[in-house]
Amino acid sequence: MKPLEQLIRPNIWRLAPYSSARDEYSGHEAHVFLDANESPYNTPMNRYPDPLQRELKEQLAAVKGIPANYTFLGNGSDEAIDLLYRCFCRPGVDNVVAIEPTYGMYRVCADINDVEYRPVLLDEHFQMQADRLLAACDAKTKLIWICSPNNPTGNDIDREEVLKVINTFQGIVVVDEAYSDFSKQRPLRFELPQHSNLVVLNTMSKAWASAAIRLGMAFASPDIIGIFNKVKYPYNINQLTQQQAMKALEARFDVDAWVQLILQERSQMMTAFRQLPICKEVFPSDANFFLARVTDAQGIYNYLVDRGIIVRNRHRVQLCQNCLRITVGTRNENTELLSALRQYA
Ligand SMILES: *Cc1c(COP(=O)(O)O)cnc(C)c1O
């Protein structure tokens, strides 16, 4: 990897961050706080939250097996995605490379930040070839985006190919592991210490059943985390979210049970789906959803909407012609979908 100083935008490298009252004083002994122009009433919500979410990060470190100083917390993974562009990519100058098809936010954030986005098509098994990604890079490529298990295709990306990209590319490789709780593959976040150019994204929105609180994570070297902390809004994670996230972490054995249930349902649902007259192909899944090719994605989508059942129509996505993306729900929800589809004529 190139030295960080050559990868970070020069204005961000030089940036002197805003220093909040809670940054300047963060000890524990004081009991009179007259430093932040807060109201003394309506405790405890009158106080600004911890800008670095230290207590939550310590608890996350225990659950995720990643030290707190390797952790950035954002308002959803979406904040981390946007921050990566703002820290590394000079608008109108730099570019990024990504697998295609994949999660749409990487491209939207590139467009918002006026950064050229270079998609590299997966093969017919939705797999990636490291050499093809690397061939799309030039001296102005700052980030490579890989999502594994990938959305909307559902499959793990070959680990050897991912490691080849990480070991060869001189810039930052972002691996989005939003769905890794559902995969048998060992999460790549455990290999962070060996790879200073790796950023791994996680989220509370999927297996952790907490999409409403908006909490995403980026795991990376302390040097990269330090840059993110400099650029983020001072109080980017509100107090309610920090508290609710700690509650969710306490209930982590519920999460393990939910994941097991979803995996069982996924397997039964995929088997049942293959028997449907409308089904042409069900693609392998390592996530809490699966992609299926059907006879007429738009017609079936509309039919389901009329019955109050919403799936994701991916027909317009490259390599996904006539494909629906189906999230695994409860037994009852899945049964309702399947019986509606059996009646489709
Ligand atoms: C759902 C999803 C996320 C989660 O985003 P949040 O902003 O954390 O809710 C991240 N990456 C991928 C690929 C996803 O599908």
Side-chain angles (χ1 to χ4, degrees):
M1 168 185 166
K2 289 181 197 159
L4 255 198
E5 186 174 355
Q6 287 174 33
L7 291 170
I8 304 278
R9 289 166 67 195
N11 60 312
I12 300 299
W13 186 260
R14 290 189 308 264
L15 179 70
Y18 174 74
S19 179
S20 71
R22 286 291 171 274
D23 287 322
E24 290 187 9
Y25 179 79
S26 63
H28 287 291
E29 306 83 35
H31 63 285
V32 177
F33 287 102
L34 302 176
D35 59 342
N37 299 344
E38 298 151 335
S39 169
Y41 308 117
N42 192 40
T43 53
M45 288 300 157
N46 58 328
R47 297 295 174 192
Y48 279 102
D50 176 2
L52 290 174
Q53 311 99 23
R54 278 164 272 226
E55 194 184 350
L56 172 54
K57 280 182 188 167
E58 285 305 331
Q59 296 189 18
L60 261 173
V63 172
K64 293 281 181 178
I66 303 293
N69 62 333
Y70 279 71
T71 307
F72 165 82
L73 298 182
N75 186 338
S77 314
D78 295 341
E79 181 181 359
I81 293 167
D82 189 53
L83 209 46
L84 277 153
Y85 284 103
R86 292 199 291 140
C87 292
F88 287 99
C89 301
R90 292 168 294 177
V93 176
D94 291 326
N95 67 70
V96 305
V97 166
I99 59 170
E100 176 80 9
T102 192
Y103 185 46
M105 277 304 284
Y106 315 143
R107 184 194 288 270
V108 171
C109 283
D111 291 346
I112 290 170
N113 288 286
D114 192 19
V115 171
E116 185 197 346
Y117 186 83
R118 301 183 172 182
V120 176
L121 207 58
L122 297 171
D123 69 17
E124 71 272 27
H125 305 293
F126 299 136
Q127 279 304 338
M128 167 193 110
Q129 280 77 45
D131 293 340
R132 297 196 53 219
L133 253 75
L134 294 165
C137 298
D138 64 17
K140 301 260 169 66
T141 306
K142 294 298 184 68
L143 309 174
I144 295 182
W145 295 95
I146 298 171
C147 182
S148 179
N150 190 27
N151 178 5
T153 60
N155 59 304
D156 284 328
I157 303 296
D158 274 343
R159 177 58 55 87
E160 278 194 19
E161 295 297 304
V162 174
L163 286 173
K164 187 169 179 191
V165 171
I166 295 168
N167 289 327
T168 314
F169 183 51
Q170 294 299 302
I172 302 294
V173 181
V174 188
V175 180
D176 189 340
E177 295 197 317
Y179 299 99
S180 63
D181 303 82
F182 303 102
S183 167
K184 292 198 191 72
Q185 215 169 39
R186 178 181 147 87
L188 201 56
R189 69 171 187 274
F190 295 122
E191 294 181 41
L192 273 168
Q194 295 94 278
H195 302 290
S196 54
N197 65 335
L198 174 61
V199 176
V200 172
L201 303 182
N202 269 204
T203 179
M204 298 285 277
S205 299
K206 307 290 157 61
W208 287 84
S210 300
I213 71 173
R214 310 305 303 131
L215 191 74
M217 286 145 253
F219 301 115
S221 73
D223 287 345
I224 294 177
I225 298 299
I227 303 282
F228 290 167
N229 285 338
K230 203 159 86 147
V231 176
K232 77 181 185 71
Y233 290 166
Y235 304 105
N236 62 324
I237 308 295
N238 71 68
Q239 183 67 10
L240 293 169
T241 293
Q242 292 190 43
Q243 287 172 355
Q244 190 61 36
M246 288 189 274
K247 275 197 202 163
L249 291 176
E250 278 169 28
R252 63 174 170 277
F253 302 108
D254 289 343
V255 174
D256 294 342
W258 292 334
V259 167
Q260 288 315 311
L261 274 174
I262 288 169
L263 293 183
Q264 278 170 27
E265 277 299 309
R266 182 183 79 192
S267 135
Q268 292 184 18
M269 212 184 168
M270 287 169 72
T271 305
F273 212 92
R274 286 196 182 92
Q275 321 294 322
L276 295 171
I278 55 125
C279 178
K280 299 209 132 166
E281 186 170 6
V282 174
F283 296 98
S285 169
D286 302 291
N288 66 334
F289 62 87
F290 62 89
L291 191 72
R293 181 160 285 134
V294 294
T295 46
D296 172 19
Q298 188 63 51
I300 294 165
Y301 175 83
N302 293 340
Y303 164 87
L304 290 172
V305 169
D306 284 343
R307 276 151 194 78
I309 300 171
I310 315 300
V311 298
R312 200 82 196 269
N313 182 4
R314 299 285 75 188
H315 176 59
R316 295 192 184 290
V317 172
Q318 281 206 71
L319 302 180
C320 300
Q321 294 82 354
N322 272 319
C323 287
L324 299 175
R325 192 194 72 189
I326 295 159
T327 308
V328 178
T330 62
R331 167 63 61 85
N332 283 342
E333 292 169 329
N334 303 337
T335 305
E336 194 173 327
L337 171 72
L338 289 166
S339 61
L341 288 175
R342 277 185 203 105
Q343 289 159 34
Y344 180 82

PDB file of all heavy atoms in Angstrom, residues 76-78 103 106 147 151 176 178-179 203 205-206 214, ligand 1:
ATOM      1  N   GLY A  76     -25.461   4.423  10.217  1.00  0.00           N
ATOM      2  CA  GLY A  76     -25.585   3.383   9.193  1.00  0.00           C
ATOM      3  C   GLY A  76     -24.244   3.186   8.485  1.00  0.00           C
ATOM      4  O   GLY A  76     -23.341   4.034   8.605  1.00  0.00           O
ATOM      5  N   SER A  77     -24.109   2.067   7.764  1.00  0.00           N
ATOM      6  CA  SER A  77     -22.906   1.895   6.927  1.00  0.00           C
ATOM      7  C   SER A  77     -22.833   3.017   5.915  1.00  0.00           C
ATOM      8  O   SER A  77     -21.756   3.352   5.429  1.00  0.00           O
ATOM      9  CB  SER A  77     -22.962   0.584   6.142  1.00  0.00           C
ATOM     10  OG  SER A  77     -23.347  -0.473   6.942  1.00  0.00           O
ATOM     11  N   ASP A  78     -23.985   3.547   5.565  1.00  0.00           N
ATOM     12  CA  ASP A  78     -24.019   4.611   4.563  1.00  0.00           C
ATOM     13  C   ASP A  78     -23.108   5.774   4.926  1.00  0.00           C
ATOM     14  O   ASP A  78     -22.459   6.348   4.056  1.00  0.00           O
ATOM     15  CB  ASP A  78     -25.462   5.105   4.385  1.00  0.00           C
ATOM     16  CG  ASP A  78     -26.372   4.022   3.804  1.00  0.00           C
ATOM     17  OD1 ASP A  78     -25.844   3.049   3.216  1.00  0.00           O
ATOM     18  OD2 ASP A  78     -27.604   4.135   3.941  1.00  0.00           O
ATOM     19  N   TYR A 103     -24.160  -3.486  -4.300  1.00  0.00           N
ATOM     20  CA  TYR A 103     -24.966  -2.549  -3.514  1.00  0.00           C
ATOM     21  C   TYR A 103     -24.931  -1.150  -4.149  1.00  0.00           C
ATOM     22  O   TYR A 103     -23.849  -0.630  -4.461  1.00  0.00           O
ATOM     23  CB  TYR A 103     -24.387  -2.512  -2.098  1.00  0.00           C
ATOM     24  CG  TYR A 103     -25.123  -1.700  -1.073  1.00  0.00           C
ATOM     25  CD1 TYR A 103     -26.510  -1.784  -0.938  1.00  0.00           C
ATOM     26  CD2 TYR A 103     -24.426  -0.854  -0.212  1.00  0.00           C
ATOM     27  CE1 TYR A 103     -27.176  -1.051   0.037  1.00  0.00           C
ATOM     28  CE2 TYR A 103     -25.078  -0.135   0.771  1.00  0.00           C
ATOM     29  CZ  TYR A 103     -26.455  -0.233   0.890  1.00  0.00           C
ATOM     30  OH  TYR A 103     -27.102   0.485   1.859  1.00  0.00           O
ATOM     31  N   TYR A 106     -22.659   2.476  -3.275  1.00  0.00           N
ATOM     32  CA  TYR A 106     -21.271   2.829  -3.644  1.00  0.00           C
ATOM     33  C   TYR A 106     -21.284   3.784  -4.836  1.00  0.00           C
ATOM     34  O   TYR A 106     -20.519   4.739  -4.887  1.00  0.00           O
ATOM     35  CB  TYR A 106     -20.440   1.586  -3.990  1.00  0.00           C
ATOM     36  CG  TYR A 106     -20.580   0.415  -3.037  1.00  0.00           C
ATOM     37  CD1 TYR A 106     -20.571  -0.896  -3.522  1.00  0.00           C
ATOM     38  CD2 TYR A 106     -20.714   0.604  -1.667  1.00  0.00           C
ATOM     39  CE1 TYR A 106     -20.695  -1.986  -2.662  1.00  0.00           C
ATOM     40  CE2 TYR A 106     -20.845  -0.482  -0.803  1.00  0.00           C
ATOM     41  CZ  TYR A 106     -20.848  -1.774  -1.312  1.00  0.00           C
ATOM     42  OH  TYR A 106     -20.981  -2.850  -0.483  1.00  0.00           O
ATOM     43  N   CYS A 147     -18.236  -6.461  -2.096  1.00  0.00           N
ATOM     44  CA  CYS A 147     -19.300  -6.748  -1.134  1.00  0.00           C
ATOM     45  C   CYS A 147     -19.429  -8.265  -1.058  1.00  0.00           C
ATOM     46  O   CYS A 147     -19.663  -8.914  -2.076  1.00  0.00           O
ATOM     47  CB  CYS A 147     -20.599  -6.112  -1.637  1.00  0.00           C
ATOM     48  SG  CYS A 147     -21.997  -6.329  -0.547  1.00  0.00           S
ATOM     49  N   ASN A 151     -24.635  -8.224  -2.435  1.00  0.00           N
ATOM     50  CA  ASN A 151     -26.016  -7.806  -2.650  1.00  0.00           C
ATOM     51  C   ASN A 151     -26.078  -7.206  -4.059  1.00  0.00           C
ATOM     52  O   ASN A 151     -25.251  -6.352  -4.347  1.00  0.00           O
ATOM     53  CB  ASN A 151     -26.365  -6.754  -1.582  1.00  0.00           C
ATOM     54  CG  ASN A 151     -27.768  -6.207  -1.727  1.00  0.00           C
ATOM     55  OD1 ASN A 151     -28.539  -6.646  -2.555  1.00  0.00           O
ATOM     56  ND2 ASN A 151     -28.077  -5.212  -0.920  1.00  0.00           N
ATOM     57  N   ASP A 176     -17.403  -5.004   2.154  1.00  0.00           N
ATOM     58  CA  ASP A 176     -18.654  -4.801   2.893  1.00  0.00           C
ATOM     59  C   ASP A 176     -19.171  -6.167   3.341  1.00  0.00           C
ATOM     60  O   ASP A 176     -19.595  -6.980   2.519  1.00  0.00           O
ATOM     61  CB  ASP A 176     -19.660  -4.091   1.973  1.00  0.00           C
ATOM     62  CG  ASP A 176     -20.916  -3.635   2.705  1.00  0.00           C
ATOM     63  OD1 ASP A 176     -21.206  -4.169   3.800  1.00  0.00           O
ATOM     64  OD2 ASP A 176     -21.607  -2.749   2.168  1.00  0.00           O
ATOM     65  N   ALA A 178     -21.810  -6.751   5.357  1.00  0.00           N
ATOM     66  CA  ALA A 178     -23.122  -6.527   5.976  1.00  0.00           C
ATOM     67  C   ALA A 178     -23.845  -7.844   6.275  1.00  0.00           C
ATOM     68  O   ALA A 178     -24.625  -7.926   7.219  1.00  0.00           O
ATOM     69  CB  ALA A 178     -23.987  -5.659   5.055  1.00  0.00           C
ATOM     70  N   TYR A 179     -23.579  -8.867   5.451  1.00  0.00           N
ATOM     71  CA  TYR A 179     -24.314 -10.143   5.575  1.00  0.00           C
ATOM     72  C   TYR A 179     -23.444 -11.279   6.098  1.00  0.00           C
ATOM     73  O   TYR A 179     -23.831 -12.442   6.005  1.00  0.00           O
ATOM     74  CB  TYR A 179     -24.906 -10.525   4.207  1.00  0.00           C
ATOM     75  CG  TYR A 179     -25.880  -9.492   3.698  1.00  0.00           C
ATOM     76  CD1 TYR A 179     -25.495  -8.535   2.763  1.00  0.00           C
ATOM     77  CD2 TYR A 179     -27.181  -9.438   4.199  1.00  0.00           C
ATOM     78  CE1 TYR A 179     -26.376  -7.568   2.322  1.00  0.00           C
ATOM     79  CE2 TYR A 179     -28.079  -8.476   3.760  1.00  0.00           C
ATOM     80  CZ  TYR A 179     -27.665  -7.548   2.818  1.00  0.00           C
ATOM     81  OH  TYR A 179     -28.541  -6.588   2.389  1.00  0.00           O
ATOM     82  N   THR A 203     -22.811  -3.843   9.904  1.00  0.00           N
ATOM     83  CA  THR A 203     -23.992  -3.034  10.207  1.00  0.00           C
ATOM     84  C   THR A 203     -24.854  -3.722  11.256  1.00  0.00           C
ATOM     85  O   THR A 203     -24.821  -4.950  11.374  1.00  0.00           O
ATOM     86  CB  THR A 203     -24.825  -2.804   8.925  1.00  0.00           C
ATOM     87  OG1 THR A 203     -25.986  -2.041   9.248  1.00  0.00           O
ATOM     88  CG2 THR A 203     -25.275  -4.120   8.284  1.00  0.00           C
ATOM     89  N   SER A 205     -28.003  -3.410  10.896  1.00  0.00           N
ATOM     90  CA  SER A 205     -29.294  -3.388  10.187  1.00  0.00           C
ATOM     91  C   SER A 205     -29.810  -4.751   9.751  1.00  0.00           C
ATOM     92  O   SER A 205     -30.975  -4.868   9.396  1.00  0.00           O
ATOM     93  CB  SER A 205     -29.200  -2.501   8.943  1.00  0.00           C
ATOM     94  OG  SER A 205     -28.878  -1.176   9.291  1.00  0.00           O
ATOM     95  N   LYS A 206     -28.982  -5.792   9.718  1.00  0.00           N
ATOM     96  CA  LYS A 206     -29.419  -7.059   9.141  1.00  0.00           C
ATOM     97  C   LYS A 206     -29.544  -8.107  10.255  1.00  0.00           C
ATOM     98  O   LYS A 206     -30.569  -8.175  10.894  1.00  0.00           O
ATOM     99  CB  LYS A 206     -28.460  -7.473   8.018  1.00  0.00           C
ATOM    100  CG  LYS A 206     -28.267  -6.368   6.961  1.00  0.00           C
ATOM    101  CD  LYS A 206     -29.492  -6.140   6.100  1.00  0.00           C
ATOM    102  CE  LYS A 206     -29.588  -4.782   5.449  1.00  0.00           C
ATOM    103  NZ  LYS A 206     -28.534  -4.416   4.529  1.00  0.00           N
ATOM    104  N   ARG A 214     -30.023   2.937  12.974  1.00  0.00           N
ATOM    105  CA  ARG A 214     -28.965   3.448  12.093  1.00  0.00           C
ATOM    106  C   ARG A 214     -27.603   3.366  12.772  1.00  0.00           C
ATOM    107  O   ARG A 214     -27.088   4.357  13.303  1.00  0.00           O
ATOM    108  CB  ARG A 214     -29.241   4.906  11.656  1.00  0.00           C
ATOM    109  CG  ARG A 214     -30.607   5.197  11.102  1.00  0.00           C
ATOM    110  CD  ARG A 214     -30.976   4.293   9.937  1.00  0.00           C
ATOM    111  NE  ARG A 214     -30.014   4.372   8.868  1.00  0.00           N
ATOM    112  CZ  ARG A 214     -29.455   3.299   8.271  1.00  0.00           C
ATOM    113  NH1 ARG A 214     -29.767   2.073   8.637  1.00  0.00           N
ATOM    114  NH2 ARG A 214     -28.588   3.467   7.310  1.00  0.00           N
TER     115      ARG A 214
HETATM  116  C1  LIG B   1     -28.225  -3.423   3.886  1.00  0.00           C
HETATM  117  C2  LIG B   1     -26.815  -3.167   3.498  1.00  0.00           C
HETATM  118  C3  LIG B   1     -26.013  -2.320   4.267  1.00  0.00           C
HETATM  119  C4  LIG B   1     -26.548  -1.659   5.481  1.00  0.00           C
HETATM  120  O1  LIG B   1     -26.561  -0.290   5.399  1.00  0.00           O
HETATM  121  P1  LIG B   1     -26.950   0.540   6.706  1.00  0.00           P
HETATM  122  O2  LIG B   1     -26.757   1.939   6.256  1.00  0.00           O
HETATM  123  O3  LIG B   1     -25.969   0.134   7.777  1.00  0.00           O
HETATM  124  O4  LIG B   1     -28.349   0.186   7.071  1.00  0.00           O
HETATM  125  C5  LIG B   1     -24.685  -2.150   3.912  1.00  0.00           C
HETATM  126  N1  LIG B   1     -24.174  -2.782   2.846  1.00  0.00           N
HETATM  127  C6  LIG B   1     -24.911  -3.620   2.101  1.00  0.00           C
HETATM  128  C7  LIG B   1     -24.293  -4.318   0.961  1.00  0.00           C
HETATM  129  C8  LIG B   1     -26.252  -3.811   2.389  1.00  0.00           C
HETATM  130  O5  LIG B   1     -26.986  -4.629   1.613  1.00  0.00           O
END
